[in-house]
């Protein structure tokens, strides 16, 4: 069974961490993954850097630009990850924009993910209808879960359609914003969290955007299955390099 | 019969669509569901055409360029978009979109700009309607285009520097899109060309189509026929070209010539000739041809003309290129500058450097003596004076 699905069956709240591959230094990828697993994180999203990250705020824009400047490419990332399953068993997701995947070749990309032991993909600008018409069979053939996003603006009907198309979890964007833009949650989020919980979706939801510490992690996971930390972890890497990852995770939960 | 217009889902052949993150879905969906309905309303049409007439100064003349024609031994007509208010065709689109925004109940406008022409055209219509306006512009472009920055400010717009990535047009577009993600309810994004996710390419093309609509009736008057033998236009994102080609797309007898900026030469590494150098990919929510690394990172284009300095082309043009419907020619900085000066001397018209690219094809691309060739003169050269001064040591 897919590692993400197995993890989601555990009776616990999921802590997922995002980082940009190739940042802060080109060859930090494996060390960051190993330290995150050791620190008790449940799921890791490895960011494939892109020159034009539309949905990202300044923090992840900067880490992406730096990673590309360091020399990160899709081919190099696969090279860095080729033996990753010898040292970690944590579910791994690749997250990035669709264009680099398209250039690598969707089939070849998925093939490579399967060889390495990647469990899922998050490609925010690959729309639901295109995925279903052109790529779903390829993803499935290679055992990859595709994760879709919903936002407070997503209609109930569309959430149902996304729920039907999902297997694994739904990435619940906490507010109408780019990554790392808003801190903390207000009444809008409370209403939104309630609304989604009330929909009794078949897939669990993991909340992302705006989670940076124990308090926001706690708030986000009151109803949802888990939460994702991205920009806050990138800031930690900017300040500390790859040191103290255990300490960072330890203060979240 | 094959059509070169967008289908219902915004595809031109394999190009187009809406490759957008879910955060943009409600905004684009609202627009997609309403744009054709709103544009078809008689009150919309009336207001749009009234403003084009009284405010923009339409119809723009279709001018027979006699001395230029003589030089190249063919019949050249210039469609005078340079005489539009604000100095370029860009305002046709911003008038349309501001009326659209009002009917959608939006209170705030955002836009991206490279050279500042679209920014000025947007700031202008926002002033006209009394609507808040924020224009994103690359930090490098702000430094290069000081007069247009001042114009936007005088018109009451806030100019926000885009400091990410390469700090030029593509990054300004990214910033505008990010703003829209963060302000999904009250804001309308006025995109400046036939680029971006569906329905933008189709909507902008429809607003610009007034250009070819006028050409048809004007040509009937002058030549006794509606269709020219060729229509020529420069392509940055492709909006003036889309407007000039629009009513001829499905008339195969009319040759369509799209002119791209070769910069310092197609293979110089400093070029914006997207059809020659691009590969299929996703830029700003659209599947189209774009300049990118083998790894799929979008590269920075170069042209002496800021308006052609975009690493992609609209999906319509990608389709015209791939299908063979359009003839694509690329013109270097030097060729364009010479053709621009030539027009000044022969016809007393100082063209925008973008438009000079379209004019530059006549040196090598020969036409028959009785061919009727319409060149879309997309803008005037006032904004480019400093460039002309530097280039020619005036
Ligand atoms: C005068 C003029 N022509 C052409 C362009 C290029 O845009 P498009 O290809 O959308 O017509 C611009 C853009 O700024 C412009 O100012």
């Amino acid at each position: 069974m897919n590692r993400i699905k197995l993890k989601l069956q555990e009776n616990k709240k999921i802590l997922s961490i995002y980082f940009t591959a190739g940042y802060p230094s080109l060859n930090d990828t494996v060390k960051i993954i190993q330290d995150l697993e050791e620190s008790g994180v449940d799921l890791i999203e490895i960011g494939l850097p892109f020159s034009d990250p539309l949905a990202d705020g300044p923090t992840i824009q900067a880490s992406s630009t730096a990673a590309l400047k360091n020399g990160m490419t899709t081919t190099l990332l696969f090279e860095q990850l080729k033996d990753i399953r010898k040292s970690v068993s944590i579910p791994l997701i690749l997250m990035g924009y669709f264009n680099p995947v398209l250039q690598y070749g969707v089939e070849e990309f998925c093939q490579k993910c399967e060889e390495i032991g990647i469990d899922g993909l998050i490609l925010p600008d690959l729309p639901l209808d295109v995925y279903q018409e052109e790529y779903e069979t390829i993803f499935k053939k290679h055992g990859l879960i595709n994760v879709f996003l919903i936002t407070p603006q997503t209609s109930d009907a569309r959430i149902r359609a996304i729920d039907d198309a999902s297997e694994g979890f739904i990435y619940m964007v906490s507010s109408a914003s780019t990554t790392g833009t808003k801190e903390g949650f207000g009444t809008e989020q409370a209403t939104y969290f309630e609304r989604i919980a009330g929909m009794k979706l078949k897939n669990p939801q993991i909340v992302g955007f705006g989670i940076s510490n124990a308090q926001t992690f706690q708030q986000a996971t009151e109803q949802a299955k888990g939460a994702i930390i991205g920009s806050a972890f990138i800031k930690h890497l900017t300040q500390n390099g790859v040191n103290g990852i255990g300490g960072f995770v330890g203060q979240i939960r | 019969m094959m059509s070169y217009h967008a289908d219902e889902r915004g595809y031109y052949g394999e190009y187009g669509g809406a490759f957008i993150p879910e955060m943009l879905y409600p905004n684009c969906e609202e627009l997609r569901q309403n744009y054709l309905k709103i544009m078809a309303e008689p009150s919309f049409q009336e207001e749009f055409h009234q403003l084009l007439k009284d405010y923009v100064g339409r119809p723009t003349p279709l001018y027979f360029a006699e001395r230029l024609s003589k030089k190249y031994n063919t019949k050249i007509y210039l469609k005078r978009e340079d005489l539009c208010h604000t100095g370029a065709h860009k305002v046709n689109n911003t008038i349309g979109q501001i009326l659209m925004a009002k009917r959608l109940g939006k209170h705030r406008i955002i836009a991206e700009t490279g050279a500042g022409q679209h920014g000025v055209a947007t700031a202008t219509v926002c002033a006209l309607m009394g609507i808040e306006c924020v224009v994103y512009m690359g930090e490098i472009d702000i430094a290069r285009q000081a007069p247009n920055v001042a114009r936007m400010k005088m018109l009451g717009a806030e100019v926000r520097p885009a400091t990410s990535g390469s700090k030029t047009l593509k990054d300004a577009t990214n910033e505008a899109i990010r703003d829209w993600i963060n302000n999904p309810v009250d804001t309308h994004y006025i995109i400046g060309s036939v680029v971006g996710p569906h329905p933008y390419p189709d909507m902008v093309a429809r607003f610009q189509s007034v250009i070819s609509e006028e050409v048809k009736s004007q040509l009937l008057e002058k030549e006794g026929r509606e269709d020219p033998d060729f229509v020529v236009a420069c392509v940055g994102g492709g909006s003036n070209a889309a407007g000039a080609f629009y009513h001829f797309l499905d008339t195969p007898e009319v040759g369509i010539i799209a002119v791209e900026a070769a910069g310092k030469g197609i293979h110089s590494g400093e070029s914006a000739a997207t059809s020659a150098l691009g590969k299929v990919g996703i830029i700003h929510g659209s599947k189209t041809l774009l300049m990118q690394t083998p790894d799929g990172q979008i590269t920075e284009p170069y042209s002496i003309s800021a308006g052609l300095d975009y690493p992609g082309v609209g999906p319509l043009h990608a389709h015209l290129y791939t299908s063979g419907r359009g003839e694509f020619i690329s013109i270097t900085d030097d060729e364009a500058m010479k053709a621009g000066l030539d027009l000044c001397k022969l016809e007393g018209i100082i063209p925008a450097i973008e438009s000079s690219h379209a004019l530059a094809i006549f040196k090598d691309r020969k036409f028959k003596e009785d061919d009727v060739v319409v060149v879309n003169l997309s803008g005037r050269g006032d904004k480019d004076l400093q460039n002309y001064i530097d280039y020619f040591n005036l």
Side-chain angles (χ1 to χ4, degrees):
Chain A
M1 195 188 212
N2 183 292
R3 291 180 199 87
I4 298 169
K5 288 190 189 171
L6 273 176
K7 176 59 76 178
L8 289 165
Q9 286 173 0
E10 289 178 22
N11 185 25
K12 66 183 290 206
K13 297 294 182 185
I14 302 293
L15 171 59
S16 179
I17 300 275
Y18 165 94
F19 74 99
T20 307
Y23 182 83
S25 299
L26 184 59
N27 294 312
D28 287 338
T29 314
V30 170
K31 160 114 177 109
I32 292 173
I33 292 171
Q34 289 169 343
D35 284 10
L36 285 172
E37 174 171 76
E38 205 162 293
S39 314
V41 164
D42 299 302
L43 215 156
I44 297 174
E45 292 167 24
I46 306 166
L48 191 58
F50 182 49
S51 54
D52 294 76
L54 294 180
D56 287 298
T59 305
I60 294 177
Q61 286 170 39
S63 62
S64 301
T65 305
L68 292 173
K69 210 173 264 171
N70 289 342
M72 185 47 78
T73 64
T74 309
T75 307
L76 180 60
L77 178 60
F78 284 145
E79 185 61 30
Q80 290 178 346
L81 293 176
K82 75 178 192 308
D83 293 325
I84 195 71
R85 283 300 170 204
K86 289 184 182 152
S87 60
V88 304
S89 60
I90 187 169
L92 295 173
I93 292 179
L94 286 190
M95 178 164 190
Y97 291 82
F98 189 44
N99 195 49
V101 178
L102 203 55
Q103 299 317 309
Y104 195 88
V106 177
E107 174 89 56
E108 293 79 355
F109 190 93
C110 293
Q111 166 78 39
K112 204 78 193 168
C113 286
E114 184 182 11
E115 280 169 33
I116 289 168
I118 299 293
D119 306 290
L121 299 177
I122 305 177
L123 303 168
D125 59 344
L126 172 59
L128 177 63
D129 56 340
V130 177
Y131 168 73
Q132 288 180 316
E133 277 163 38
E134 296 183 40
Y135 302 117
E136 186 168 2
T137 49
I138 302 176
F139 279 45
K140 291 206 160 141
K141 188 170 104 190
H142 296 286
L144 293 166
I145 282 177
N146 188 33
V147 179
F148 295 101
L149 278 55
I150 61 171
T151 81
Q153 267 69 40
T154 312
S155 69
D156 283 6
R158 187 164 167 84
I159 291 175
R160 295 270 175 224
I162 286 171
D163 192 34
D164 282 341
S166 300
E167 41 156 5
F169 67 92
I170 290 174
Y171 191 131
M172 201 172 141
V173 176
S174 67
S175 65
S177 72
T178 43
T179 55
T181 309
K182 298 190 179 157
E183 293 211 356
F185 300 127
T187 51
E188 190 201 333
Q189 278 70 41
T191 315
Y192 168 54
F193 294 166
E194 283 290 334
R195 175 182 148 223
I196 302 303
M199 287 183 76
K200 306 268 178 260
L201 301 175
K202 70 180 169 66
N203 290 279
Q205 306 95 51
I206 301 190
V207 181
F209 292 36
I211 296 134
S212 57
N213 52 27
Q215 190 200 354
T216 41
F217 180 78
Q218 166 64 30
Q219 286 174 319
T221 54
E222 243 159 62
Q223 279 141 326
K225 176 73 177 167
I228 302 158
I229 297 182
S231 298
F233 183 61
I234 299 291
K235 284 182 189 155
H236 171 85
L237 292 174
T238 304
Q239 281 159 16
N240 307 285
V242 293
N243 301 314
I245 289 178
F248 176 86
V249 174
Q251 58 172 2
I252 305 296
R253 66 161 189 203
Chain B
M1 195 191 86
M2 177 165 178
S3 172
Y4 290 92
H5 293 279
D7 70 16
E8 227 165 85
R9 296 169 67 201
Y11 278 90
Y12 300 84
E14 69 167 303
Y15 303 109
F19 290 78
I20 46 172
E22 193 61 30
M23 294 79 107
L24 281 176
Y25 183 84
N27 314 26
C28 290
E29 187 61 11
E30 180 185 29
L31 199 56
R32 190 188 68 78
Q33 284 181 5
N34 290 293
Y35 83 111
L36 291 176
K37 241 188 303 181
I38 290 176
M39 285 177 76
E41 285 168 12
S43 70
F44 181 94
Q45 283 300 321
E46 191 180 319
E47 203 178 346
F48 181 54
H49 287 287
Q50 196 70 43
L51 282 169
L52 288 184
K53 177 167 175 279
D54 296 338
Y55 189 72
V56 174
R58 303 203 73 92
T60 59
L62 183 70
Y63 165 70
F64 177 62
E66 193 176 343
R67 297 185 68 207
L68 190 67
S69 297
K70 195 162 283 167
K71 174 163 179 176
Y72 293 111
N73 202 28
T74 189
K75 291 173 91 170
I76 302 173
Y77 282 89
L78 302 178
K79 181 60 175 161
R80 298 290 308 274
E81 293 302 297
D82 60 314
L83 295 176
C84 287
H85 178 42
T86 71
H89 68 288
K90 296 280 178 190
V91 73
N92 302 327
N93 170 43
T94 60
I95 292 272
Q97 285 206 49
I98 198 79
L99 297 179
M100 180 70 60
K102 272 176 64 177
R103 279 164 176 76
L104 291 170
K106 307 292 176 179
H107 308 295
R108 179 174 175 270
I109 295 296
I110 53 171
E112 85 296 339
T113 197
Q117 285 308 103
H118 173 61
V120 168
T122 303
T124 298
V125 298
C126 287
L128 179 68
M129 299 294 170
I131 296 181
E132 181 189 347
C133 178
V134 175
V135 180
Y136 289 91
M137 189 169 185
E139 206 171 43
I140 291 177
D141 290 332
I142 288 181
R144 295 198 282 207
Q145 310 286 339
N148 272 343
V149 175
R151 282 187 187 103
M152 287 185 270
K153 288 184 179 163
M154 289 178 73
L155 293 160
E158 180 193 343
V159 181
R160 284 196 196 158
T163 58
S164 60
S166 49
K167 305 178 176 57
T168 58
L169 176 58
K170 88 176 166 70
D171 309 285
T173 308
N174 291 338
E175 285 306 322
I177 291 173
R178 290 179 186 123
D179 182 309
W180 210 22
I181 287 174
N182 284 287
N183 298 283
V185 180
D186 67 334
T187 298
H188 175 72
Y189 176 22
I190 300 190
I191 263 187
S193 192
V194 286
V195 300
H198 178 58
Y200 277 106
D202 185 48
M203 181 173 71
V204 175
R206 284 169 189 261
F207 287 139
Q208 292 291 359
S209 71
V210 64
I211 299 172
S212 47
E213 190 183 317
E214 289 174 5
V215 167
K216 271 171 135 14
S217 58
Q218 290 168 321
L219 211 56
L220 184 61
E221 203 175 283
K222 292 180 195 302
E223 291 283 335
R225 56 169 162 138
E226 288 193 334
D227 295 339
D229 295 295
F230 295 92
V231 193
V232 185
C234 66
V235 174
S239 66
N240 88 87
F245 300 163
Y246 195 88
H247 290 286
F248 306 115
L249 285 172
D250 294 335
T251 308
E253 296 75 31
V254 179
I256 279 173
I257 302 180
V259 186
E260 293 181 314
K264 295 183 177 165
I266 288 189
H267 300 294
S268 65
E270 292 184 82
S271 172
T274 308
S275 66
L277 298 170
K279 282 196 311 192
V280 183
I282 312 288
I283 181 170
H284 299 135
S286 180
K287 188 173 191 181
T288 187
L289 293 171
L290 61 127
M291 291 165 56
Q292 52 185 317
T293 66
D295 194 42
Q297 309 298 337
I298 300 174
T299 53
E300 194 50 25
Y302 163 82
S303 164
I304 192 168
S305 114
L308 302 183
D309 211 350
Y310 184 70
V313 282
L316 162 66
H317 300 291
H319 184 47
L320 292 178
Y321 177 74
T322 308
S323 66
R325 173 69 182 95
E327 177 181 346
F328 280 65
I329 296 176
S330 49
I331 291 295
T332 63
D333 289 356
D334 291 336
E335 292 167 327
M337 295 305 277
K338 288 203 183 74
L341 194 60
D342 224 29
L343 191 74
C344 301
K345 299 268 156 73
L346 286 173
E347 300 289 348
I349 298 170
I350 302 177
I353 299 177
E354 290 82 3
S355 321
S356 299
H357 284 73
L359 294 162
I361 67 163
F362 292 102
K363 195 168 66 63
D364 292 325
R365 173 67 166 88
K366 295 300 168 203
F367 296 90
K368 293 206 284 285
E369 196 175 341
D370 60 351
D371 275 345
V372 171
V373 184
V374 173
V375 178
N376 197 37
L377 197 70
S378 57
R380 58 176 173 250
D382 306 30
K383 69 181 177 66
D384 297 318
L385 226 50
Q386 194 57 50
N387 259 329
Y388 280 123
I389 291 168
D390 293 345
Y391 188 88
F392 292 111
N393 284 315
L394 299 172

